Amino acid sequence: MNKYHCLTILLFIIATLSVEAKHSAETESWLQRLDSVIQQRQVFDVMKAERLTEMYKKKASLRSHNEIVSFNTQMYDEYYVFDSDSAMSCVNQNIEIARQSGNESLVTEWRIKQSFILSATGLLKESLDVMESLDISDMPNSVKIEYFSQMVYLFSHFGQYTGSGELQDHYIELERRYNDSLHCIVTPADPQYLWFDVWYSINNGQQEGLQEQLNKKVSLSSLTTRDDAMAAYALARVYRQNGNEDMFMRCLAMSGIADIRASNKDIASLQELAEVLIDQGEILRAYNYINVCLQISQEYHNRVRAVSISRVYERILQGFLDRDEVQRERLKKTNVALIVM
């Protein structure tokens, strides 16, 4: 057998074992950008931690309760999807100050934030207990919006935790009801209005104009903030609802890039992207993405995400097994070709 024939056979083997991409070249380009950003993940986290350390030094000069509450609010906004323990420390101190001052509206506002951290870290029953202890009937609309938004978030986590079946359907229905309640009181002046409107519109089959609005928002974003990540994720969901799987993947990649650059540990886009890649046969890339998701969930102490990630690992394991079986069959055929030659 001459060298030409050997080279031809080697190329044939490589071709038969490779996975043909089922997405566009443009989407592959975004996935490669995501791969590059993932490699720099620790750099972004260190930069954020160093900036927060510098910010925290200012606390020693604060004197009044109002100054401390304002400072803790600023720090909470930085910490709540980055470091759950530090975020909860800010929450607890502001709850105590609000109680001492007799400001019930402020107590309720920070108790809702307490519920968020509990649910984000997987303490769902404790989170629900907090919410059920609150009376928002006399609260301003701004607090009611936070309340309904947190109930949506909480029941979405209950649904993720249960995985499937009637119980998950029950939590999805509760999530939808609170979304409807939220829609009744939120106005376009709210910074999160578009985010809330996306889920209400998807739930009720009213998506007219949403894709255009979100496309404009995402195209103008720098993909460096959590808000950028949320906008790209919302656009991804709209594209999937419309059956455009390629754009769904592309927007998830954009969302993942923004999440990692912003050091957001409450991340959903990367896990969903891994699951799509499993379906497309890109098992190794899916494995790499889900490993990052696991590391992030451990850093943030996100128990719910860890449970859902374990289910994805099972799918990846099965994907590797299926791929190995396919490769064995292809190698058998290649071996026959070698013998014939």
Side-chain angles (χ1 to χ4, degrees):
M1 188 182 299
N2 61 37
K3 291 181 179 179
Y4 175 77
H5 284 145
C6 288
L7 180 59
T8 302
I9 292 167
L10 180 60
L11 292 173
F12 175 73
I13 292 172
I14 293 171
T16 57
L17 297 183
S18 64
V19 177
E20 183 180 353
K22 297 180 181 178
H23 48 262
S24 68
E26 180 66 20
T27 295
E28 175 60 27
S29 174
W30 277 101
L31 291 173
Q32 290 178 12
R33 288 177 64 179
L34 174 58
D35 294 340
S36 177
V37 170
I38 285 173
Q39 291 178 356
Q40 304 172 63
R41 187 173 76 83
Q42 296 300 332
V43 175
F44 293 118
D45 286 358
V46 168
M47 288 172 59
K48 176 151 188 169
E50 289 176 347
R51 181 167 58 82
L52 291 175
T53 298
E54 287 301 310
M55 290 174 64
Y56 204 78
K57 292 177 181 177
K58 299 176 183 178
K59 190 168 186 177
S61 64
L62 304 178
R63 295 291 179 265
S64 72
H65 280 174
N66 285 342
E67 287 178 333
I68 295 172
V69 168
S70 178
F71 176 81
N72 283 339
T73 301
Q74 182 184 10
M75 296 305 292
Y76 173 84
D77 288 343
E78 295 282 352
Y79 275 127
Y80 77 111
V81 290
F82 177 63
D83 182 332
S84 56
D85 291 338
S86 297
M88 188 61 87
S89 178
C90 296
V91 168
N92 290 337
Q93 188 169 16
N94 274 8
I95 289 173
E96 183 60 29
I97 292 173
R99 281 174 172 161
Q100 289 175 13
S101 64
N103 189 334
E104 288 303 317
S105 178
L106 191 60
V107 170
T108 301
E109 180 182 340
W110 283 95
R111 289 280 280 166
I112 293 170
K113 288 179 171 59
Q114 183 182 54
S115 176
F116 174 88
I117 299 299
L118 290 169
S119 54
T121 54
L123 299 174
L124 302 183
K125 180 185 180 303
E126 292 80 357
S127 177
L128 183 59
D129 287 344
V130 169
M131 296 302 285
E132 289 181 338
S133 72
L134 302 177
D135 180 3
I136 63 166
S137 55
D138 295 326
M139 293 292 152
N141 263 15
S142 59
V143 175
K144 290 179 180 178
I145 288 170
E146 284 196 49
Y147 178 89
F148 291 134
S149 175
Q150 170 53 21
M151 292 301 277
V152 169
Y153 182 83
L154 175 55
F155 284 120
S156 75
H157 275 56
F158 269 114
Q160 290 174 43
Y161 186 78
T162 53
S164 61
E166 291 184 8
L167 189 56
Q168 185 189 46
D169 293 340
H170 169 68
Y171 289 133
I172 290 173
E173 178 58 29
L174 289 174
E175 180 186 349
R176 183 177 291 113
R177 289 179 189 176
Y178 279 106
N179 225 322
D180 290 346
S181 298
L182 181 60
H183 182 75
C184 290
I185 61 172
V186 72
T187 69
D190 191 287
Q192 296 299 317
Y193 176 79
L194 185 56
W195 172 258
F196 297 142
D197 194 40
V198 166
W199 303 113
Y200 176 82
S201 299
I202 287 176
N203 289 338
N204 293 277
Q206 303 171 2
Q207 297 181 53
E208 186 176 350
L210 268 182
Q211 187 171 308
E212 183 180 350
Q213 292 179 67
L214 287 167
N215 260 316
K216 182 177 180 180
K217 185 175 178 65
V218 172
S219 66
L220 294 174
S221 79
S222 58
L223 297 181
T224 55
T225 68
R226 185 169 188 261
D227 186 57
D228 292 342
M230 291 169 67
Y233 182 79
L235 182 56
R237 302 304 305 182
V238 171
Y239 274 122
R240 167 157 271 196
Q241 192 77 2
N242 294 335
N244 191 332
E245 200 73 1
D246 189 66
M247 287 301 298
F248 171 64
M249 289 183 66
R250 192 180 307 177
C251 292
L252 284 181
M254 293 178 185
S255 180
I257 289 169
D259 275 328
I260 291 167
R261 285 174 172 169
S263 294
N264 176 22
K265 308 295 185 183
D266 185 36
I267 182 171
S269 51
L270 201 58
Q271 182 176 332
E272 286 198 34
L273 192 50
E275 295 187 66
V276 176
L277 289 166
I278 295 170
D279 293 335
Q280 294 196 356
E282 290 197 51
I283 308 300
L284 185 57
R285 185 179 251 162
Y287 177 73
N288 291 337
Y289 287 176
I290 209 64
N291 265 342
V292 174
C293 292
L294 179 60
Q295 292 166 20
I296 289 173
S297 70
Q298 290 172 336
E299 291 165 5
Y300 191 75
H301 312 306
N302 190 330
R303 299 161 183 84
V304 170
R305 191 74 68 194
V307 170
S308 61
I309 286 170
S310 69
R311 298 190 188 107
V312 182
Y313 266 115
E314 291 175 6
R315 291 190 60 205
I316 287 174
L317 176 59
Q318 187 59 52
F320 274 123
L321 293 173
D322 292 344
R323 190 182 69 172
D324 288 346
E325 182 61 33
V326 170
Q327 289 180 350
R328 277 194 292 272
E329 290 301 316
R330 287 177 174 174
L331 284 170
K332 284 180 184 178
K333 293 178 181 178
T334 303
N335 191 42
V336 169
L338 284 169
I339 293 169
V340 170
M341 295 182 68

